[in-house]
Structure formats: C-alpha cells, structure tokens
Amino acid sequence: MDFPPAYTANTLKGFCVCYFKNTDHDPESPPHYHITVPISDDSYLLLCVITSQMESRIKYYQRTNKRAVPCLVSVDKNDLHFLKKESIIECNQPNLVRKKDFGRIVDPDQKCKVIMRDIPSDIKEKIIKAINDSPIVKPFIKKLLRKSS
C-alpha cells in the first residue's frame, strides 16, 4: 500500500533512508536515496542525499571549499546493503523540510519508499560529525542536531 509523502514524513523517526525523486533537483535527475537526520524540532526533517557522483562532488569542493571535502561521508553496500556502488552522503548541503511540506518535494509520479528505519551507528556518528564540521552548513542547522542521536 502506498501512503502519501506527508504521512510517510510523520512516521520517520531517527536515522531513516528514503528513496524518492526530489522535485527541487534537475527534472532529468533520477530518484535518490536520502537519509533523515534527527533534529530537535519534530515538525521538520533534515535530509542528506546519497549520491554515486563522488568524483564530481569531490572536484566541486576542491575548487570551491577544500574544507568541505572531508564532510562527504563515503558508504558502500557493506554499510548500506541496498547500494549498488560506492557513494557519498552529502553532509555539506542538508535540506531542512517541514514534514507537512514533504509532499511538495517528492515527485508525485514516483513512489516514495522507506528503505531502512535505522542505519549502522558508525554511519550515524560520521554524518553528525560531518554536518558539525562542515564549513558550509549554517549554524542554526547544526544547533538543531539532536545530541543523543
């Protein structure tokens, strides 16, 4: 059974992985996996995209802000079983979305699927550290991160 994205958003607690096409991204881009990062305000979701475009992201940050490169968290199928190739979690550009507005960023022509309801502890720690260490993430987002994730 398919549930509306706004309903799905309200069921996301802690670190979850969702798969959907984000309407804020290029219309030609495929759906991506996104990790929800727990924050202190339960009416919002903090989303970090997982992308296999590692080289282009690394090169981009090497050109624009070298201190952001270590804030790309490398993962593969040993970390997240559903991945087909080595990827990165983009922790420099987390997307803060109201749960009630989640349906606006999910392409209605594509399904939104919850892939995992929890992720390995070491990946959680790396994501939190990367967001906190990022020279790009705004301070107010860093303050929203839950201390006991």
Side-chain angles (χ1 to χ4, degrees):
M1 174 180 236
D2 294 331
F3 293 102
Y7 175 83
T8 301
N10 284 320
T11 71
L12 300 173
K13 307 287 184 219
F15 286 89
C16 297
V17 180
C18 300
Y19 183 74
F20 65 90
K21 182 170 175 52
N22 190 328
T23 58
D24 288 344
H25 296 166
D26 184 330
E28 300 301 314
S29 69
H32 281 81
Y33 294 103
H34 299 77
I35 294 186
T36 62
V37 179
I39 56 175
S40 58
D41 187 339
D42 284 337
S43 62
Y44 284 85
L45 291 173
L46 187 63
L47 302 169
C48 292
V49 69
I50 301 174
T51 180
S52 60
Q53 302 298 310
M54 295 176 62
E55 285 185 40
S56 63
R57 290 288 170 121
I58 291 168
K59 286 179 184 176
Y60 171 77
Y61 288 122
Q62 285 174 333
R63 279 193 328 271
T64 61
N65 192 333
K66 285 183 168 77
R67 291 182 21 233
V69 174
C71 302
L72 301 171
V73 177
S74 294
V75 287
D76 61 24
K77 65 182 175 188
N78 295 317
D79 302 306
L80 302 171
H81 67 85
F82 53 84
L83 293 176
K84 292 179 176 50
K85 56 177 147 176
E86 190 174 5
S87 300
I88 53 167
I89 302 168
E90 170 55 275
C91 296
N92 288 305
Q93 298 179 33
N95 187 7
L96 188 63
V97 180
R98 283 183 192 266
K99 285 184 178 181
K100 69 178 188 176
D101 296 333
F102 185 63
R104 293 183 187 161
I105 68 165
V106 175
D107 186 328
D109 297 329
Q110 306 276 334
K111 288 184 181 178
C112 174
K113 300 176 193 167
V114 178
I115 306 300
M116 293 177 78
R117 293 275 178 188
D118 198 14
I119 62 173
S121 295
D122 62 318
I123 302 299
K124 293 177 190 179
E125 292 168 11
K126 288 176 184 177
I127 291 169
I128 295 296
K129 181 175 180 0
I131 292 171
N132 279 320
D133 290 351
S134 173
I136 298 168
V137 176
K138 302 228 181 308
F140 83 93
I141 289 180
K142 293 177 183 185
K143 286 181 184 175
L144 285 173
L145 293 175
R146 287 206 177 134
K147 300 296 183 225
S148 59
S149 301

